[in-house]
Structures are given as structure tokens and as C-alpha cells.
Amino acid sequence: MSKLKLFFGGSFDPIHNGHILSAQQLVEATQAADITLLPNALSPLKQQQHCSTEHRRQLLELALADYPELLLDWREVERGGRSYTCETLQELAAQYPQQHIGFVMGLDSFNQLDHWRDWQKLCDYAHLLVIARPGYQPALSQMLKAWLADKQSHQVADLHQLARGKVYFCQLQPMPISSTQLRKQLATHSLEPELSSQLPGAVLEYIIEHKLYGA
Ligand code: ATP
């Protein structure tokens, strides 16, 4: 059994197929034991949430009902306030001392990593896995490049052999879907047909029924 447990953090406002397909592909690409979506209460780098925590919770649960292999962890929502990943990874590392934690983020998030609280400590608790995102190229500050130099790994085997400390760029099929774009489409009532390929059906139905995001 693999020791690698992946955690995929985000606002999921709303969750979309880019999140779901990336999560599924990551498990396969890294041979991880499992992957858990880790919704935040409030992202330190975002101004606001666009629907209530309760609606986001419903959307995530509806979305994942069809994907029992994808797990959910509500600790950041339960903690409330701004969600600082370093605090969460410290907690996870203490909770799973026999396992290797891999924290997943898109390249857009990694480009801004040096704005995160205690970012230089993240690899004290976990590996970081970075996935490509259409429309984003690596744009790292000098400080981030220097930090990355002795951490970047080109071999997935490192994530299994070492407990923490590596940054691995994972090649997945790129998916041009974002919550920002979806919110814009929903607000302008461009409901069909692309939306149904970008969101799980039950998520789209719930959004329309509850008139979320201006739908
Ligand atoms: P927003 O547009 O509101 O910023 P988002 O679509 O980026 O939302 P988040 O919930 O912020 O979604 O994303 C959680 C994590 O998933 C982030 O690390 C983000 O980079 C990554 N991510 C989101 N969409 C994709 C995608 N289509 N492909 C790969 N990674 C993605």
C-alpha cells in the first residue's frame, strides 16, 4: 500500500470538472494511496467567497457522491477564519506520522507561493505537487526559484521514498476550466451547453435551483 496521501486545497467556489479530473489523474500518475479535497474557509489571497460555506459544502458533497474514491476533509472550514495551508499541513503531518503527505496546487497558485504565510516551512511537513493550468506559465520570483532549487524533484519515486520536502511538477491532461470563468458564465446566464461539460450535472442543477452566482 502506498504511503503517499494527497490533499488538494482550494476554494471550490464552485467545484468543477477541472478539480475532479485532476484529482483522479493525480492518484493514477503518482500511485498515491488516496486524494482528499480540502476546502478552505477563506483563502488568504482572495477577497471573498462567492456563495455561502453551506452551499459550497452541498456542492462539494453532490459533486463527489459519484466519485467515492475522492475524499473530503472539512478541517479548514471547521477551523474558520482565513485558512493557512502551513498550519493545516503541520496538523496533517502530526495526524499521519506513518504517511507521506502531498499537497496539490495548480501552477497559478504555485506562482504566488511566496505570498503565503510561512511558505518556506511548507516542505517541512509535506511534498508539494504542482499541476499545469492552461493559460499559466511558470512565473517564479528569484526568491521562490532559489527556494525551489534543492527541492524540485523530477521523479515521482521521490514522493514515495522521502517523507516530505520535495516539489514535483506533475504532467496531467490540461483542463481549461476555472471557477472564475464559470461564475462569469453563470452570471450572464450563458447556461448551456458548455457548462454541462464543465460542471457535474448535480452541481449545475443545485446552482440553478438556488440561484447561486447570479444564475
Ligand atoms: P478561481 O477561478 O475562483 O480562482 P479555481 O478554478 O482556480 O478558482 P480553486 O478552488 O481556487 O479553483 O482551485 C483549487 C486548486 O485547484 C488551485 O490550486 C488551482 O490552481 C487548482 N485548479 C483549479 N482549476 C484547475 C484546472 N482546471 N486544472 C488544474 N488545476 C486547477
Side-chain angles (χ1 to χ4, degrees):
M1 178 72 166
S2 167
K3 282 189 172 177
L4 182 63
K5 274 181 91 57
L6 302 181
F7 289 86
F8 191 6
S11 303
F12 305 107
D13 192 9
I15 182 165
H16 52 68
N17 289 341
H19 298 127
I20 294 171
L21 297 173
S22 298
Q24 288 178 316
Q25 288 181 39
L26 273 160
V27 174
E28 206 175 308
T30 62
Q31 296 294 300
D34 52 36
I35 188 162
T36 301
L37 271 56
L38 189 65
N40 56 36
L42 185 58
S43 162
L45 299 181
K46 290 185 181 174
Q47 296 306 317
Q48 54 170 350
Q49 279 176 22
H50 299 272
C51 79
S52 70
T53 301
E54 199 38 50
H55 282 312
R56 276 192 311 143
R57 185 191 282 267
Q58 291 292 334
L59 291 172
L60 274 154
E61 280 172 358
L62 280 171
L64 298 197
D66 289 336
Y67 303 97
E69 72 279 19
L70 306 181
L71 311 174
L72 266 169
D73 184 315
W74 294 104
R75 74 183 63 219
E76 290 191 339
V77 167
E78 278 151 20
R79 193 160 71 215
R82 296 203 176 265
S83 303
Y84 294 104
T85 301
C86 195
E87 201 178 323
T88 305
L89 293 182
Q90 187 173 9
E91 227 178 87
L92 288 169
Q95 184 174 341
Y96 299 106
Q98 306 303 328
Q99 290 181 283
H100 304 180
I101 307 293
F103 184 78
V104 177
M105 67 184 83
L107 180 60
D108 56 314
S109 302
F110 187 73
N111 279 340
Q112 296 192 50
L113 193 75
D114 50 355
H115 296 278
W116 292 22
R117 181 185 277 187
D118 291 333
W119 64 277
Q120 280 144 314
K121 292 194 198 149
L122 293 168
C123 279
D124 294 352
Y125 306 113
H127 297 302
L128 302 185
L129 282 80
V130 184
I131 50 180
R133 237 184 130 173
Y136 291 90
Q137 299 301 321
L140 312 184
S141 68
Q142 286 308 325
M143 204 163 45
L144 189 46
K145 272 189 200 156
W147 179 81
L148 179 62
D150 66 346
K151 294 185 178 59
Q152 185 169 355
S153 161
H154 298 280
Q155 298 173 58
V156 79
D158 286 343
L159 309 180
H160 295 276
Q161 276 154 19
L162 303 168
R164 62 191 78 88
K166 290 290 168 194
V167 179
Y168 179 72
F169 291 79
C170 196
Q171 298 303 325
L172 305 178
Q173 181 194 327
M175 270 158 300
I177 309 176
S178 83
S179 298
T180 303
Q181 189 56 37
L182 284 168
R183 289 192 302 269
K184 280 189 194 147
Q185 284 172 258
L186 288 161
T188 54
H189 304 284
S190 26
L191 291 181
E192 295 290 338
E194 320 84 71
L195 277 180
S196 48
S197 64
Q198 298 183 341
L199 291 163
V203 168
L204 184 53
E205 277 169 33
Y206 185 97
I207 289 175
I208 294 170
E209 185 186 340
H210 295 270
K211 301 189 171 42
L212 305 184
Y213 309 110

